[in-house]
Amino acid sequence: MSEPLRVAIAGLGTVGAGVIRLLDANGELIARRAGRPIEVVAVSARDRSKDRGVDIDRFDWVDDPTALARHPGADVVVELVGGADGPALALARAALDAGKSFVTANKAMIAHHGFSLAEAAEKADVALKFEAAVAGGIPVIKGLREGAAANAITRVYGILNGTCNYILSKMESDGSDFDAVLSEAQALGYAEADPSFDIDGVDAAHKLSILASLSFGTRPAFDDVATGGVRHVVAADIAEAAALGYRVRLVGMAEADAGGLFQRVHPYLVPLRHPLAHVSDSINAVVAEGNYVGRLFFQGAGAGDGPTASAVVADLIDIARGEFGPAYAMPVESLTAQPVADSGERRGRAYVRLMVQDRVGVLAEIAAAMRDAGVSIESLIQRGAAADGSVMVVIVTHEGPERCVAQALEKLSGSPSLTGAPMWMYILGE
Amino acid sequence: MSEPLRVAIAGLGTVGAGVIRLLDANGELIARRAGRPIEVVAVSARDRSKDRGVDIDRFDWVDDPTALARHPGADVVVELVGGADGPALALARAALDAGKSFVTANKAMIAHHGFSLAEAAEKADVALKFEAAVAGGIPVIKGLREGAAANAITRVYGILNGTCNYILSKMESDGSDFDAVLSEAQALGYAEADPSFDIDGVDAAHKLSILASLSFGTRPAFDDVATGGVRHVVAADIAEAAALGYRVRLVGMAEADAGGLFQRVHPYLVPLRHPLAHVSDSINAVVAEGNYVGRLFFQGAGAGDGPTASAVVADLIDIARGEFGPAYAMPVESLTAQPVADSGERRGRAYVRLMVQDRVGVLAEIAAAMRDAGVSIESLIQRGAAADGSVMVVIVTHEGPERCVAQALEKLSGSPSLTGAPMWMYILGE
């Protein structure tokens, strides 16, 4: 057996403690698979004395996480501190500059700074790995980087935020409204006190931009993700979707073609025949469509200390084996900068929900706005009045350019007939 | 850009031609990802002049496939001839002995001879890779070998035969009986003229034994797979299963624990909440349960030239990158030989279907046999008489040892009250 791979860990929250627990529990098996043992040699966290359920006295303690980059006994630095910038980024730069491989679960940092970190890793000829940054324990980075490497990937999309999926699933099963389920999720610890990163789609957008770059060989472009969340989905939307044969899911969707790079996080209606429709609770899932392999589907736990630790240690095993290449599957200089695709030219079907006054002529006004914008209506459902006297109108469009629906809604949104802002979702094809 | 990886291909059926087509179409992208081009230099097949839709005149033609092992220009031999022994095996041994890496889609050969081939590959310090041998285009070998490498895998199971899944899905959607759907599948080319390898579970057993070895670090043990197929499933079983909230799937299931290695291919009732229930048509899917990652689920096309070529070329890319290790994730000497687990000790629920004479006392006889064997009945459904006057009785048992159900059926199978052999399926937990 060769020399151990020596690891320094910054951040000992649930994931950091989980990594130590995993290496303790499966250490012998991991050494057989990796060809050598993986040993933690040093750790850093805010509070040394906190009880984490694992013995950390056997490791070097370092107060300043950035100092781990200079730890003479460490081959690899694992960053589990979090945050797009600050100490996490300082540590990443310092570790790579010091010629140490670097493993992280930090999606925000990779979404914002992955490209420059990959440059630094290439320069130092060390590994930069971030399997745990996307979809938790699911080996989807590996699946795209290596498993699907023979393919031109035409589309990558999925359910990338467990909190949103938990909320939507719970609304579906209980018929509850968004706010009630969110409060419950916060009480159970499934949602943060400030949930906006999750429910407004930012977290999913971080992950989507990483998947897009890996899939298409494009430069990471987080700022170009059109990001929407689930705040405006109400129980009645989910019920209408169910009646139409769909489930509502927050989907991150990316495509690259001659028109540029398209990246969007938005609620979608997913048909029951599509595997994403059956992804419930806090589970994550990713679909990749390749020009030879067809549709690949990966599903698993998107968060939690065990699954995240599993992904972090899988990266360490690759490093121990010496089996790692460029962070984005190809050298950074090969990654192409793509213009943002014009989403208005995308064709698809849409679900539109309007709350309107219950009076003569309103339906005619809606129908005229749709017609004027060139939207062809597949079905229109009007339900009886709500408590405030307004009426819910749900429209499902035929396939057409997204631009037309946007135009129709823009026109309608100024109308006094509407009692609230229009809400719309895209409909995923089978 | 470094030297190309030079490839010799034996077998130019749909998959062999697909590999050439893929390398032609995606060659530039693959070179960027692999760090160097992948070039076919020599080919061998039965008929040189056959039109395969790809130009093979640019490659060296070799009449005897085994001679590819000695081709001076080739770094890797790809075997797409098929068959557990014969020319495929001769080529594999010759290639590895000649110090060439070896890639195959041949599940039968790997199931029977993978261990000795892995020994030869280790001795020669070259790659032995077979991603395409299990579940077609799905990168599940990689997912287990590397993606889930940090975990002790407790259970691996899945839908491993597309022909059976197509037949079961079609029986489900059309209400047709087995023979009718099989004939239709044969006419469409989805099933072989001699379909027994598929429908009797042998093909799934090949794949299962490969997955089990990779998952548990056990020596491959194809002969120990308890193998059953789908011949005895009738339309009425699928209808009863549906009424109970299940779908019928042919599941390959492997577990390793203190009691030994359990490997079985058999029809199962899969609850609708389980992702395998939503795997339809010829799609394959694999579930791996790890002690840290929880349940991972991989789904995709299990066959076809495009998906299979995608997996073959993914292996070539790993070899081009120099990122390959032992075939079974750890050195062959580390693989442990496990005794066969006693399946009678397994606990679970079962579905039992009996065809019985329509006369007084038959139900009492069945109930007594179940009671005497210690089987606790959860529900019993008796349906009106069939054309031959016999009556169908379906029993769902409570959880209990499988041994008890087997005992009850053994006792009943000698009874003159039965008009046909009992049929049973296991019920998969959620």
Side-chain angles (χ1 to χ4, degrees), chain A residues 230-271:
Chain A
V230 295
R231 277 184 205 268
H232 306 297
V233 178
V234 299
D237 293 320
I238 289 178
E240 290 296 340
L244 292 161
Y246 298 92
R247 292 198 174 131
V248 177
R249 295 289 181 263
L250 184 72
V251 173
M253 161 81 69
E255 282 184 61
D257 60 24
L261 176 63
F262 168 77
Q263 300 176 100
R264 173 164 70 199
V265 175
H266 201 90
Y268 275 72
L269 263 58
V270 180

Side-chain angles (χ1 to χ4, degrees), chain B residues 32-55:
Chain B
R32 279 205 286 158
R33 290 194 180 134
R36 52 183 177 142
I38 295 177
E39 283 181 14
V40 178
V41 293
V43 295
S44 177
R46 254 175 299 190
D47 179 359
R48 184 169 187 171
S49 58
K50 186 177 162 189
D51 180 11
R52 299 175 168 89
V54 290
D55 167 25

Side-chain angles (χ1 to χ4, degrees), chain A residues 94-285:
Chain A
L96 295 169
D97 288 349
K100 294 199 196 306
S101 287
F102 185 77
V103 173
T104 181
N106 188 331
K107 46 222 132 191
M109 181 177 73
I110 294 298
H112 286 280
H113 305 292
F115 187 79
S116 72
L117 294 176
E119 285 182 311
E122 256 177 61
K123 203 170 144 203
D125 199 19
V126 295
L128 167 65
K129 293 189 71 77
F130 41 80
E131 182 65 79
V134 180
I138 311 172
V140 64
I141 301 277
K142 182 171 280 285
L144 291 169
R145 245 189 123 264
E146 303 165 30
N151 294 267
I153 303 288
T154 48
R155 190 155 79 130
V156 64
Y157 59 105
I159 293 172
L160 300 172
N161 183 273
T163 303
C164 288
N165 211 56
Y166 173 84
I167 291 173
L168 293 171
S169 301
K170 195 79 181 161
M171 288 172 73
E172 185 181 297
S173 59
D174 297 1
S176 318
D177 242 320
F178 179 80
D179 291 332
V181 178
L182 174 60
S183 304
E184 196 186 311
Q186 286 171 317
L188 290 166
Y190 295 167
E192 307 279 341
D194 175 1
S196 57
F197 241 51
D198 289 316
I199 66 176
D200 293 332
V202 180
D203 174 76
H206 284 149
K207 296 165 181 168
L208 181 68
S209 67
I210 298 170
L211 292 178
S213 180
L214 275 161
S215 299
F216 309 133
T218 47
R219 286 179 70 130
F222 167 70
D223 292 337
D224 296 341
V225 184
T227 303
V230 295
R231 277 184 205 268
H232 306 297
V233 178
V234 299
D237 293 320
I238 289 178
E240 290 296 340
L244 292 161
Y246 298 92
R247 292 198 174 131
V248 177
R249 295 289 181 263
L250 184 72
V251 173
M253 161 81 69
E255 282 184 61
D257 60 24
L261 176 63
F262 168 77
Q263 300 176 100
R264 173 164 70 199
V265 175
H266 201 90
Y268 275 72
L269 263 58
V270 180
L272 286 177
R273 280 186 62 87
H274 193 291
L276 286 183
H278 304 285
V279 178
S280 295
D281 305 323
S282 62
I283 297 298
N284 283 19

